[in-house]
Amino acid sequence: MRLSDLEKDLKQVIDKPGIYRIFWKDGEMPEFRTDICGGTRNDPVSEEKLKNKWIKGKNLIYIGQTKRTLRKRIYELVGYGMNLTNNHRGGRYMWQIKNIWEHATIELEKCEKCENPKAEEKKLLADFKKKYGKLPFANLIG
């Protein structure tokens, strides 16, 4: 589903713990904003830093997890992206992508088989870093 769909209605989000992934429409480098980055602190990074973090040809830009419910965590993510809250700083680089709401999608996966979403996220991030040499664009720690 598109991020813009979440902006309108969070009821479609799974109400279970899990993993979520954010994808850019394609692997091409987007245009960046340097005036805003989400959250109420609004501390954007330079365009040069964003360009250096981008992995050309790879559209997975963020991997996240929650032990609570995906609905609650995605609510925080959306609130951060709309500059309403400051409780989802992880992934903040993605809010500096122009037109992120219209051109990014989110994939939600409830953790039925994984007992520890944090451990699953760490594994996914480690696998990504091993394959591409760095973390997904908006993941700052792994």
Side-chain angles (χ1 to χ4, degrees):
M1 75 185 77
R2 289 182 12 199
L3 282 181
S4 59
D5 296 334
L6 295 176
E7 187 179 21
K8 299 171 197 150
D9 180 19
L10 285 169
K11 290 179 184 152
Q12 59 191 316
V13 176
I14 303 165
D15 206 21
K16 302 273 184 195
I19 302 289
Y20 54 102
R21 297 171 185 86
I22 312 257
F23 296 89
W24 182 239
K25 63 179 179 170
D26 56 33
E28 295 304 311
M29 187 178 299
E31 290 183 52
F32 297 108
R33 301 175 58 159
T34 56
D35 60 330
I36 196 163
C37 70
T40 56
R41 288 176 44 180
N42 195 29
D43 53 352
V45 298
S46 71
E47 184 174 7
E48 180 181 351
K49 190 169 190 170
L50 296 169
K51 285 181 176 180
N52 287 334
K53 188 81 168 76
W54 190 261
I55 301 172
K56 188 172 182 178
K58 191 64 188 156
N59 68 341
L60 175 60
I61 61 172
Y62 186 73
I63 299 171
Q65 64 80 31
T66 183
K67 294 177 187 174
R68 296 176 296 152
T69 71
L70 284 164
R71 187 175 299 155
K72 286 179 184 175
R73 191 63 177 147
I74 300 307
Y75 177 82
E76 294 169 351
L77 173 81
V78 169
Y80 192 91
M82 295 172 71
N83 303 323
L84 300 173
T85 66
N86 224 17
N87 55 357
H88 198 299
R89 284 186 49 81
R92 64 187 174 274
Y93 284 12
M94 74 179 155
W95 301 116
Q96 286 190 246
I97 297 174
K98 287 186 180 176
N99 302 316
I100 185 79
W101 291 102
E102 295 82 17
H103 298 297
T105 57
I106 187 166
E107 178 183 282
L108 306 167
E109 177 185 334
K110 61 182 173 183
C111 277
E112 292 179 354
K113 295 179 183 176
C114 67
E115 293 180 25
N116 184 345
K118 184 70 175 168
E120 181 67 16
E121 176 197 41
K122 282 197 172 288
K123 179 187 177 311
L124 292 169
L125 290 171
D127 290 348
F128 188 97
K129 187 173 183 179
K130 184 177 180 181
K131 186 172 184 177
Y132 297 102
K134 55 185 170 180
L135 293 170
F137 170 73
N139 284 98
L140 303 182
I141 57 174

